[in-house]
Amino acid sequence: MPELPTTLPDNLTPFRPTMERLLTVFGAPVELALLPHRRNRHGYDHGEQQPFIRAPAQRIIDEESYWRCETLALTPNKFPFAQDQRILWMARPAREPDETFWRALFDWVDRSGGTALVNNVGAAATIPRAHAHLINEQLPFLSSIDERPLRKSVIDVPTSCELVVKILPCCVMGVRGPAAARAKALIRLADARRTAAWNVIATPEATWSIPRTAETPAPHFPSPMGASEYWGRFCYVDEAPFLDAETETLTKAWERSTSTSVD
């Protein structure tokens, strides 16, 4: 299995929000960050997306990788929304991560104590190639919400794994266990998933999957909701909605963009 480096590249772009705020969602703390530079990302304007584009993933990997193996690559993130942010890519075209990707990602999370966030098309990804954001940072939002064991049998749970759900009106399912077992569980959950898109949040505590039903829950949140928002950091590119956001609107954004509880 490839072992991802925990060292940082020299050309990493720092995370420097223009402004920040604190609110709560479901009674747990969340951050709001104003990041106008993220408007410059490739494919940022989701409303004008064409059905096919010449995606830049391979060019980015070929030109910007600071670590690479046959199946995976690491590049800096030019538009960060978190500390020490890098991108882990599938080195070959693929829209969903494979088991090698998941296992390397979970192993990195366990060794580094960091967080990994996964978006895909329909869940805030601007590039279709499977990728994850590796971050040297943790937020308290998910760990602040109560949970219980999953009662419904949705997959054959790998040995040494446990499935839990957050006690919310939305589906937030967690997987606990060794990295290799978590990787197998994520592959099985992807196969069982009924929604086209999901977000995945991997922390040292657990790996959380959030099936998606709507990408942009306007007017409650003006941009595509991604793993960052479910992790506990709402990212804004414009000042007006950043300043207008309230606990009630962000809670509705969560509810409008996710599936109902799994059981």
Side-chain angles (χ1 to χ4, degrees):
M1 181 198 71
E3 184 174 283
L4 306 180
T6 56
T7 53
L8 301 176
D10 295 333
N11 60 339
L12 205 60
T13 302
F15 170 58
R16 291 175 180 163
T18 303
M19 286 191 284
E20 296 177 281
R21 296 178 60 199
L22 296 176
L23 287 173
T24 60
V25 173
F26 301 122
V30 297
E31 300 177 4
L32 285 66
L34 181 60
L35 302 164
H37 70 284
R38 286 181 55 78
R39 189 185 290 105
N40 299 323
R41 291 174 296 153
H42 173 93
Y44 164 73
D45 188 355
H46 285 242
E48 298 297 326
Q49 289 282 14
Q50 298 298 310
F52 293 94
I53 61 168
R54 182 175 290 278
Q58 197 61 51
R59 176 190 59 77
I60 293 171
I61 292 169
D62 291 341
E63 295 178 2
E64 301 179 21
S65 293
Y66 68 93
W67 176 91
R68 189 170 179 176
C69 68
E70 183 180 358
T71 56
L72 304 171
L74 279 170
T75 66
N77 189 332
K78 293 182 177 180
F79 307 101
F81 54 81
Q83 300 288 346
D84 299 331
Q85 194 171 344
R86 292 136 286 165
I87 301 179
L88 172 66
W89 301 88
M90 293 280 286
R92 297 173 180 170
R95 294 174 74 91
E96 294 270 0
D98 63 10
E99 190 170 336
T100 297
F101 180 103
W102 287 123
R103 186 169 177 180
L105 182 150
F106 298 147
D107 173 73
W108 177 87
V109 167
D110 292 347
R111 286 186 294 111
S112 69
T115 300
L117 306 179
V118 177
N119 302 324
N120 58 16
V121 172
T126 57
I127 298 177
R129 179 79 63 96
H131 62 284
H133 298 273
L134 307 187
I135 298 163
N136 284 345
E137 187 178 4
Q138 294 189 45
L139 294 182
F141 173 69
L142 286 172
S143 61
S144 300
I145 298 175
D146 291 339
E147 62 188 56
R148 59 170 173 75
L150 177 69
R151 294 187 290 258
K152 186 176 181 179
S153 178
V154 294
I155 62 169
D156 293 330
V157 181
T159 303
S160 72
C161 262
E162 176 192 17
L163 298 187
V164 298
V165 290
K166 289 296 183 181
I167 302 175
L168 292 171
C170 318
C171 179
V172 180
M173 185 185 299
V175 182
R176 291 197 173 92
R182 272 181 285 160
K184 291 183 182 298
L186 262 288
I187 291 294
R188 294 174 188 178
L189 285 173
D191 192 46
R193 192 176 80 230
R194 295 291 300 274
T195 64
W198 69 349
N199 295 107
V200 176
I201 301 165
T203 72
E205 176 199 17
T207 297
W208 303 98
S209 61
I210 304 172
R212 299 295 303 280
T213 54
E215 186 169 42
T216 304
H220 310 297
F221 188 71
S223 302
M225 290 269 284
S228 175
E229 283 71 35
Y230 302 111
W231 176 47
R233 178 170 291 143
F234 286 78
C235 299
Y236 292 81
V237 297
D238 295 310
E239 184 173 336
F242 167 82
L243 294 175
D244 290 343
E246 298 177 351
T247 288
E248 182 181 2
T249 58
L250 298 187
T251 301
K252 288 181 178 178
W254 248 87
E255 295 173 341
R256 294 282 179 89
S257 61
T258 58
S259 296
T260 56
S261 182
V262 69
D263 69 349

